[in-house]
Amino acid sequence: MKKKSSLPDIGALLKKIAPKVGAKVLLEPKWKVVGQVTYRSGQRRYFRLSSLDLNPMGASAVAKDKDYAAFFMSRLGYPVVRGGAFLSNRWAKKMRSTKNIDAAYAYARKIGFPVIVKPNSGTRGVDVSLAYTRREFYKDMRRIFSGDNVALVQEHLTGKDYRIVVLDEEVISAYERLPLSVTGDGRTTVLQLLKKKQAEFDRGKRDTSIDVRDARIIRKLKRQNLSLTSVLPHHQTIRLLDNANLSTGGESIDVTDIVHPQIRSTAVKLTRDMGLRLCGVDIMLDGDIGKPHQSFRILEINSAPGLDHYARSGAKQAKIVEELYLKVLRRMEGLGSSFKISNGDAISE
């Protein structure tokens, strides 16, 4: 299956809606993923993909490092996932650390298989795996270490996976994330079902590419005594990945209007405590997000949460995402001191 670009078109969206707040957007012409926003006041802000000129640099850097972010969230009293960070053998030797791949395996045995392994600085669900055995564990960790010096080993949680997006003191978006899945019709193979799903993504201009050779899909099928050539019974639905990232073929269900005030206030407070203004808070919830006193864990936070998934679902959702980004654009302008332009000269406030 042909590999597609996974770059979101947030730049085009911002260029479209900027005039509504009296701004204009200049996009870098080659890739069109980096841009400059100029407001009527002369304020200039910048963005790169979904990273917007809104969060402080230090807080954003901490949020992008999953292990550091978990450390601070835990110290602040938030319920994070049990886990630890480990180094590639090369990096562990260089840092004179004993936290190498063998120490990671010992830790995995301590917390109990299966375990989640993921790159510490990864995004979009890349190389996130659920390892059941020693062989799977070492294979997954070595794959991570081919591109990242630090990997996380975490306990495997079950429940509902949600992302809650906070802008300042407001939850502007919340959705349940469902892993890549297919539903049988009694005559079509899993491979054919995946190709049909990819075709649906393409028609909807969704920037997701399903890799049918992904070892995680093959492994997930094997655990269910299935393969890519298996034909599923009519109406039988199976999950093909253990992570629910939309970029790996997952689906979303909007729950913005039903998030319980307790969970809403926790997400807002966490965002503020981590020094962020715009933040995606990912949680695993053992229950219903609309009910009080639910048990949940924070999976991770994201300082550059994209909202463009709504626009892939239809005209109504596209309108929702435009309104959300209009809020973001308005908040970006009022950030305090900056450089303004007057008669062609830069003036520092």
Side-chain angles (χ1 to χ4, degrees):
M1 194 173 294
K2 185 179 179 180
K3 186 71 174 175
K4 297 169 59 206
S5 169
S6 60
L7 300 176
D9 56 359
I10 292 176
L13 174 62
L14 293 179
K15 188 176 181 69
K16 173 186 174 184
I17 65 176
K20 295 182 180 181
V21 297
K24 59 182 180 180
V25 170
L26 173 63
L27 283 176
E28 184 277 327
K30 185 175 182 180
W31 300 107
K32 299 181 180 179
V33 295
V34 175
Q36 175 196 78
V37 183
T38 303
Y39 295 90
R40 284 199 189 104
S41 64
Q43 294 277 13
R44 285 179 178 169
R45 303 297 177 203
Y46 294 83
F47 61 90
R48 182 179 184 274
L49 296 174
S50 57
S51 294
L52 304 167
D53 230 350
L54 193 60
N55 286 323
M57 184 180 296
S60 294
V62 170
K64 290 175 182 177
D65 187 299
K66 296 178 176 62
D67 185 47
Y68 286 151
F71 167 79
F72 288 110
M73 289 189 291
S74 178
R75 286 299 183 93
L76 288 165
Y78 292 98
V80 299
V81 182
R82 183 185 182 191
F86 298 88
L87 312 180
S88 67
N89 287 344
R90 180 187 64 82
W91 194 245
K93 184 176 181 179
K94 183 175 182 179
M95 300 298 291
R96 298 181 180 178
S97 171
T98 59
K99 300 192 71 174
N100 59 16
I101 193 170
D102 296 322
Y105 176 66
Y107 180 76
R109 291 186 63 187
K110 178 181 177 181
I111 64 176
F113 279 94
V115 294
I116 292 288
V117 297
K118 63 171 72 170
N120 185 49
S121 59
T123 60
R124 300 174 69 85
V126 175
D127 287 338
V128 177
S129 302
L130 182 63
Y132 279 79
T133 66
R134 182 182 187 278
R135 182 178 180 180
E136 290 178 354
F137 180 84
Y138 274 90
K139 183 177 181 180
D140 293 343
M141 291 289 281
R142 289 186 177 114
R143 182 171 61 248
I144 291 171
F145 288 143
S146 68
D148 197 315
N149 286 318
V150 184
L152 299 182
V153 179
Q154 297 178 331
E155 65 175 318
H156 174 50
L157 302 177
T158 58
K160 294 183 178 180
D161 186 322
Y162 293 97
R163 167 162 289 187
I164 303 169
V165 182
V166 175
L167 176 61
D168 292 327
E169 300 296 312
E170 179 186 4
V171 171
I172 62 172
S173 167
Y175 52 94
E176 181 180 358
R177 303 189 299 180
L178 304 173
L180 172 66
S181 65
V182 292
T183 301
D185 58 10
R187 61 180 183 277
T188 307
T189 67
V190 172
L191 177 60
Q192 291 169 330
L193 291 171
L194 282 171
K195 289 182 176 180
K196 287 176 66 175
K197 175 155 281 195
Q198 182 67 67
E200 292 172 5
F201 290 164
D202 293 343
R203 286 194 296 272
K205 298 182 179 179
R206 177 170 165 175
D207 62 342
T208 299
S209 293
I210 301 172
D211 182 3
V212 297
R213 297 167 298 178
D214 190 329
R216 297 172 299 176
I217 293 178
I218 307 302
R219 182 188 297 176
K220 186 75 171 176
L221 284 168
K222 188 175 181 180
R223 289 201 190 100
Q224 301 172 78
N225 296 315
L226 298 168
S227 70
L228 289 172
T229 59
S230 298
V231 175
L232 302 181
H234 195 54
H235 293 315
Q236 180 183 352
T237 298
I238 61 167
R239 291 185 172 183
L240 297 173
L241 287 173
D242 291 300
N243 65 292
N245 297 75
L246 303 181
S247 53
T248 55
E251 305 288 345
S252 65
I253 301 173
D254 184 53
V255 296
T256 307
D257 294 336
I258 65 170
V259 178
H260 192 274
Q262 289 178 339
I263 297 175
R264 193 179 295 266
S265 63
T266 298
V268 169
K269 184 176 184 299
L270 171 61
T271 297
R272 183 173 61 247
D273 284 346
M274 292 302 292
L276 299 169
R277 296 185 61 194
L278 178 65
C279 179
V281 180
D282 295 345
I283 67 172
M284 183 69 75
L285 180 66
D286 185 20
D288 189 332
I289 200 168
K291 294 180 180 179
H293 308 298
Q294 297 297 305
S295 173
F296 68 90
R297 299 277 191 92
I298 297 166
L299 301 175
E300 57 188 65
I301 57 174
N302 190 322
S303 61
L307 300 171
D308 54 313
H309 66 282
Y310 282 117
R312 307 302 184 191
S313 306
K316 180 180 179 181
Q317 288 73 22
K319 182 65 175 176
I320 290 172
V321 80
E322 286 190 13
E323 292 300 322
L324 294 178
Y325 272 111
L326 280 172
K327 288 185 179 182
V328 172
L329 281 173
R330 290 189 181 101
R331 304 288 175 87
M332 282 171 62
E333 181 178 15
L335 290 179
S337 17
S338 183
F339 284 89
K340 290 187 178 183
I341 303 299
S342 178
N343 297 323
D345 298 321
I347 303 174
S348 177
E349 288 188 308

